[in-house]
Amino acid sequence: MFQHVKQLQFNARVSQPDPRFATLMLEQFGGENGELKAAMQYFTQAFAARRPYPDKYDLLMDIATEEFSHLEIVGATITMLLDGVNGELKDAVQANPVAQFSGSSKAAKEDLIHAALLHPRFLAQTGGTPGVTNSQGVPWTAAYINANGDLSADLRSDIAAESRAKLVYEYLMKFTDDPHVRETLGFLMTREIAHFKMFAAALETIQPNFPPGVLQGDPRYTHAYFNMSNGADVRGPWNEGQGPWGAGESWNYIEHPHEHVMETAGEVEAKPEGTKHSVQEIAKKDKELSRARSQEVKSGSSKGVQQWSDYAH
Amino acid sequence: MFQHVKQLQFNARVSQPDPRFATLMLEQFGGENGELKAAMQYFTQAFAARRPYPDKYDLLMDIATEEFSHLEIVGATITMLLDGVNGELKDAVQANPVAQFSGSSKAAKEDLIHAALLHPRFLAQTGGTPGVTNSQGVPWTAAYINANGDLSADLRSDIAAESRAKLVYEYLMKFTDDPHVRETLGFLMTREIAHFKMFAAALETIQPNFPPGVLQGDPRYTHAYFNMSNGADVRGPWNEGQGPWGAGESWNYIEHPHEHVMETAGEVEAKPEGTKHSVQEIAKKDKELSRARSQEVKSGSSKGVQQWSDYAH
Amino acid sequence: MFQHVKQLQFNARVSQPDPRFATLMLEQFGGENGELKAAMQYFTQAFAARRPYPDKYDLLMDIATEEFSHLEIVGATITMLLDGVNGELKDAVQANPVAQFSGSSKAAKEDLIHAALLHPRFLAQTGGTPGVTNSQGVPWTAAYINANGDLSADLRSDIAAESRAKLVYEYLMKFTDDPHVRETLGFLMTREIAHFKMFAAALETIQPNFPPGVLQGDPRYTHAYFNMSNGADVRGPWNEGQGPWGAGESWNYIEHPHEHVMETAGEVEAKPEGTKHSVQEIAKKDKELSRARSQEVKSGSSKGVQQWSDYAH
Amino acid sequence: MFQHVKQLQFNARVSQPDPRFATLMLEQFGGENGELKAAMQYFTQAFAARRPYPDKYDLLMDIATEEFSHLEIVGATITMLLDGVNGELKDAVQANPVAQFSGSSKAAKEDLIHAALLHPRFLAQTGGTPGVTNSQGVPWTAAYINANGDLSADLRSDIAAESRAKLVYEYLMKFTDDPHVRETLGFLMTREIAHFKMFAAALETIQPNFPPGVLQGDPRYTHAYFNMSNGADVRGPWNEGQGPWGAGESWNYIEHPHEHVMETAGEVEAKPEGTKHSVQEIAKKDKELSRARSQEVKSGSSKGVQQWSDYAH
Amino acid sequence: MFQHVKQLQFNARVSQPDPRFATLMLEQFGGENGELKAAMQYFTQAFAARRPYPDKYDLLMDIATEEFSHLEIVGATITMLLDGVNGELKDAVQANPVAQFSGSSKAAKEDLIHAALLHPRFLAQTGGTPGVTNSQGVPWTAAYINANGDLSADLRSDIAAESRAKLVYEYLMKFTDDPHVRETLGFLMTREIAHFKMFAAALETIQPNFPPGVLQGDPRYTHAYFNMSNGADVRGPWNEGQGPWGAGESWNYIEHPHEHVMETAGEVEAKPEGTKHSVQEIAKKDKELSRARSQEVKSGSSKGVQQWSDYAH
Amino acid sequence: MFQHVKQLQFNARVSQPDPRFATLMLEQFGGENGELKAAMQYFTQAFAARRPYPDKYDLLMDIATEEFSHLEIVGATITMLLDGVNGELKDAVQANPVAQFSGSSKAAKEDLIHAALLHPRFLAQTGGTPGVTNSQGVPWTAAYINANGDLSADLRSDIAAESRAKLVYEYLMKFTDDPHVRETLGFLMTREIAHFKMFAAALETIQPNFPPGVLQGDPRYTHAYFNMSNGADVRGPWNEGQGPWGAGESWNYIEHPHEHVMETAGEVEAKPEGTKHSVQEIAKKDKELSRARSQEVKSGSSKGVQQWSDYAH
């Protein structure tokens, strides 16, 4: 269960209202790489880990909970940046002081509400408070979440998610010089870096963790690089020489894919190149890892009635 | 900030796996009236209330936090109902024991994975764990959330939300006879009833709370009922006599809307009927309430640097 | 079936084009609390009511039809507010009179098209006419609709929907001083108030209507308030004393939820508090209401061939 | 404004409940080519036509209104096909007669609710009544609508929409042998054919109607066919000879696009081929049509206060 | 398989950055009638055509491939129009040179980033590069695609799609006077015209192609025009006389639909009007065409192992 | 530009139709981790890389093009697995041979169409051909795409994307024993592994690549681990000791976050712990990297007219 502490994890402050920056900051409230996405991703992944991998469960729930706390910080900051809009809207009879900006050039530019027009739902739906959308009003969707029931993939999704979230904070910092807001953004950005390191460390404790999941790749296709575009081809460690492979292995650069496909009857007759692993070796590895991993997960199951929590004193 | 307690708020248990019911239960995990919707709705509404209405803020955050805790209960139950699917998927080399159900009538019907085929993403994406979707795999969207910066509307949205969530639990209970699962559903359903009562009580403390928002209605149109359909018209307190109006007021039943519209030049020349409130009286009320409400909200604003939380000891 | 009358239900007029306000007004055309949402919600709910509750069916269809008529008023107003844009776009060879605003500060601000740039789909897709989106271009989605096959929930969803729609019109009126547009907004806003009253009156005729649906709550959990957040807790009729409960009943304030959960083995061993209803009493009520409600609904079914309408003269 | 007539436009009947077919039929209620899509598409297009093209406005509103009437027929049929589900759900205490199908092979297959499990939202959200989704529960979205402010494009979108809707009814008829339902489907399918003819006839009255919109194409590129794929190329009237072009015109088949692009410096230096229209001729046409079309549309605008409807007697 | 050629199909150039036009141009990158929609629509339709209609398959894949190439041109143009934004964002420590525009009127209007604020995701997510959204940031969705497994409908969807895409380019050209960008837009617009002609020519080779699909309409309803709206009704070839029908056929104008529906017992007792086709004749046609079309399609199937491509030399 | 080669990159074959597996396989056609997502992600990322990082551009376009080729393989396989459905639908008059399964238990289970009922859009919309949806019919959305204008984040998104795609193929292989289909799945799965390696190798060539983006983290917060949940806390390299940090660095485990937050006035007064990097050092690094990275990107810009491709011979 969750509990709420009234104090924010970080002392969020703003120097003055700034509806435009509030709009931009929605990216981290209801945007694709924002705090809700992060919180819900780790929270959802945690269910699969609960029984077989209690250490990862603890990690995922700690970070998920911190991300919910960050979501609150972001929402609080947006609310303060919009300060005044809601109160203004409540003065419903006032002879529309802002009417002039609709279709007129004489708008007082410093008008809070004028600035907020870049996010019109602030004015006409949310009443000057945060909505669960990105900076353009696109509602948050669970399509942003990656949770696939396997920590060797999930943790990589999390490392990538933290990378993107960090980058978004970095971008956001370019658009405000409010020292208080920058301080908050700096804290939040830094926490994404810390989480990245945590997820990377946790991934390292899973061995083997490559390839993700259980099965090895077919040695006929693991080391092939298909040069799918013409001219100005560039060679580098991603398609040349040993690259990131082990000793004795190397990339197999297929310069003319169409010819190759024709010659190998649609790759069916291709032969392993660049790798020393045999099909037999790989089949054996597949079998071993299958047994080991399914064993691990099944060991978390219990016969008969299952109970999630223990309430013994 | 939030904190996580490892014990669920309710002792969720399941007697045996049941992927079909797990599928149905997704409605309350990632569905339109599920726990995530409730949690995010109250959490989002709370930001506007934080300063001017700290009592409602406390209420909204208490219930939001409880709904996040319920989301966890639902996710835990789904995970237990799917027990075995994830482990089975990890046994990646096994000669596809479930192949027979693809295109064959000989499928062992009790097969967990067969039953799970009604929610194919369990098999091909989430790895037998909950996804943030409804029972048909539609990703959760913030389009489900109603938060409009005014408690006289927000609390009514919350009463309606609790009504729907209660109903969904009632429907769900028809589809399982697992006594443990029914116990959990009973707890969750009951809490929606409790929340309904809390929101209703809170709404009562806001006076006046009708009409929602600040402005009164135009007396020419508040009491009119347009009979927009032919024949078999039914009369009742919603279009006849005093109905829900105050003493001396009554519905103005417009039997032939088209004629009425033509006669009143598109309602512009309509006269107040059924109400004793004059336009002047209403303009006065509008002004008073505008002043009062905007005052209330603005009183929550502060000049200069704003700070959300207080960390004084 | 429906029929269309060429005259609008209200004499919508505009004093002059105002693309910015047209953008805002899209909220009530294709937005989450707009007229299409209302129309489709009541229309969809009506199917379940058709046979067992013909009085509510008549009400729902009358209001649904009026909301479709309001949708038309909103679309007509937006079209008039955008007057000139479509014609301008048809002059396709003209040496782009508005080019200057793209990347230049010399834009004539009063230019219609310039103002319309806040809703770029007006320019590049809809050709200066309304689109079925909200003010930010988010396409209308049926995720906005609440229709759950039970009038005790549906009518509450409708009261809440009318509350929000009323509020949105109130917000919108702040952003135009065109007296004709304000008159139209005033009419539409007032009708939401009238519909609110109709739905509330209809809900009153359903007895009992609390809890929504059929089942009573478990007396161990109906009256409990979980204090899920720390410090600065506020007490009020929603968590203290008798609150909204009947005589002899009261809230059961659980100050320390985690301790309570541990002590009651995850609430399983909790005892009813604050209520005088026994489990037996409630089981009896459940049975009675189940019988009554299912009877009501089933009485609307007929054996053999079913026919929706009667065409007898 | 709209008015509702209680009788359906077609005498919809069903012989017996059939939840599976109800599920399929949702495609025409809330699906991408269903009646709501058609109704809203024509309704939305009508706004642009209202002033300059009152004849097309009348046509669009007539058909839009008929499509709303068809939406009602489809919803009524689905409701009758689901007859019994809602009543069953109201019997909330019954010892879950359908529990057996969740995880058990002993399910009574004829059970209505069992069959409905293919559309689980029927059971857990809509209470056995239609939802505004397609057959898989995807909520209807305005992304389905095509309305672009130009009749030469809009009417083609409508012809295509009718083609698809007709096809969907044809597909649906394969999946029911209920003679009453087939009769209804036959009526609805036939009306799509009739609408197709109406839209085609209306398009013919707009001259010129090709190319859609105002501008002619650049003669260097109008008649070119780029052969973007290798081998087994097929020649036909779409890339060979005169094809659909006027006398003296013909396709310019570019067999080797990459070479052509390199030789023409990225098509910039390409010469008109296959067409006798000169650049000058086309510029002249562009100017003429621009003037004519913008004139037409602007003629629908009025100076000063605009009013949508006329209420004079 | 696909191959990429580094040169664009058209020599896309821009004279200077213009973030506002980049925003508008997103309509053709990730918008509802943009290049991705076209490419994916034809690509998806092609699968059904592959075996039975290899000539149409070739056409669909040629045009799909060209549309992917156009998508690339649009993306390249947007990237060049945003030139400078990404580089500016990388200068992460710079004392936010653009801070002034947040809440201040003193913004340097020519600032690239200021102009980009109309599409805030450029700043906070995509880093000044194209995103797969429309001009308002709505993510592209496959709901835009029409592919229904029947060329007589699919090709009409394609003609309509090309019409809309052409129109959007025409609209876009009004908003830039950059001669290079206009040149690119002109090329892309013209290609939509060329594709329109190709699809129309291909449709002509399918006989009969009306009605779309296989079944004829019911002669009682094919020729009826329901006058669903009051007053100011307009008559034209879409509801009067022979219209687009064959010799000896004509429209059956139903002036008073409600009366007609009542008199025909919900159209069930209507008689064919305006057509000379008898029910028998139509049943025979249905049978013949069913046989012919299913034969055609089935002839593309093979017994035993199926293989998509042939790799023989 | 793109070119299409009629032969698939892999010789996709199927032994016999299997609509159920076709349904599952949609995950890799229009699902969240499918081939379209991968293709569009790399294609979109490539635009930002085009000028400053031509080597990464070449890599991204090669892999994007291969993913489009894989999308084609997946679509071809689904089409073959559905063989027969389209042809059956064309036989439109046949006395609905499948009617029996709608509401009847006597369905011939091996019926192709029966099996396809799990994906009803196959029957009622796509005509037995692939749709651009996932296995549950959810339309593909660009919300799945991660492209953020910075290779240090983008390549991590790509590694994660490949991890998930690999896992999905692994899951899918459990559900078919068709040796030809398994062969195709094996090829596609292996290619994801190969792409993973390519992206990882490319990421390595960017130095420094941690933290992603430009800015370093604030040393007060980079090394802190907030223990946000009670009891049963697990320690590991992600929150204990040196973990993944450099020599002399270590995690700062905050056991009681609420107390810590109160004591540090909302973290504002926290001190760096566990790190030896000073604020000055970091500010210096920030400045250097800002200069370097913005320089790199800006070097790709050119003054005056920009041109994407070079057509010189």
Side-chain angles (χ1 to χ4, degrees), chain A residues 18 20 24 27 32-33 109 134-136 138 168 171 174-177 228-233 261-262 266, chain E residues 2-6 88 91 94 96 98-99 101-102 105 113 119-121 123-125 136-137 311 313:
Chain A
D18 181 351
R20 291 195 185 197
L24 272 178
E27 285 295 332
E32 68 195 75
N33 293 310
K109 285 293 172 40
N134 72 2
S135 65
Q136 296 194 287
V138 177
V168 173
Y171 286 164
K174 294 279 294 182
F175 300 98
T176 177
D177 58 2
M228 304 297 274
S229 47
N230 76 328
D233 299 320
V261 161
M262 294 306 288
Chain E
F2 290 93
Q3 291 190 304
H4 184 241
V5 168
K6 288 242 167 59
E88 195 58 40
D91 192 355
Q94 195 193 355
N96 47 307
V98 293
F101 74 75
S102 327
S105 64
I113 297 186
H119 189 71
R121 275 182 82 252
L123 303 181
Q125 288 283 358
Q136 297 194 285
Y311 299 93
H313 302 278

Side-chain angles (χ1 to χ4, degrees), chain F residues 106-222:
Chain F
K106 294 178 204 68
K109 287 289 171 41
E110 55 291 339
D111 190 335
L112 283 180
I113 298 185
H114 173 68
L117 194 61
L118 287 162
H119 189 72
R121 277 182 79 253
F122 278 156
L123 303 181
Q125 289 283 359
T126 72
T129 63
V132 188
T133 70
N134 72 3
S135 65
Q136 297 195 283
V138 177
W140 191 88
T141 162
Y144 299 147
I145 292 180
N146 301 121
N148 300 86
D150 191 295
L151 287 169
S152 67
D154 281 358
L155 290 169
R156 284 181 169 105
S157 295
D158 299 346
I159 291 168
E162 296 290 349
S163 300
R164 294 192 297 268
K166 190 269 179 182
L167 193 65
V168 172
Y169 280 119
E170 186 174 306
Y171 287 163
L172 286 175
M173 272 198 275
K174 295 278 294 184
F175 300 97
T176 177
D177 56 2
D178 181 328
H180 290 300
V181 175
R182 290 178 66 85
E183 198 178 39
T184 302
L185 296 173
F187 171 75
L188 294 169
M189 182 191 83
T190 299
R191 293 306 297 154
E192 313 299 18
I193 298 172
H195 296 162
F196 178 116
K197 281 299 226 189
M198 295 169 197
F199 288 129
L203 179 61
E204 275 313 291
T205 67
I206 299 172
Q207 291 301 337
N209 66 37
F210 179 82
V214 171
L215 296 177
Q216 306 302 304
D218 184 324
R220 290 174 295 171
Y221 310 127
T222 38

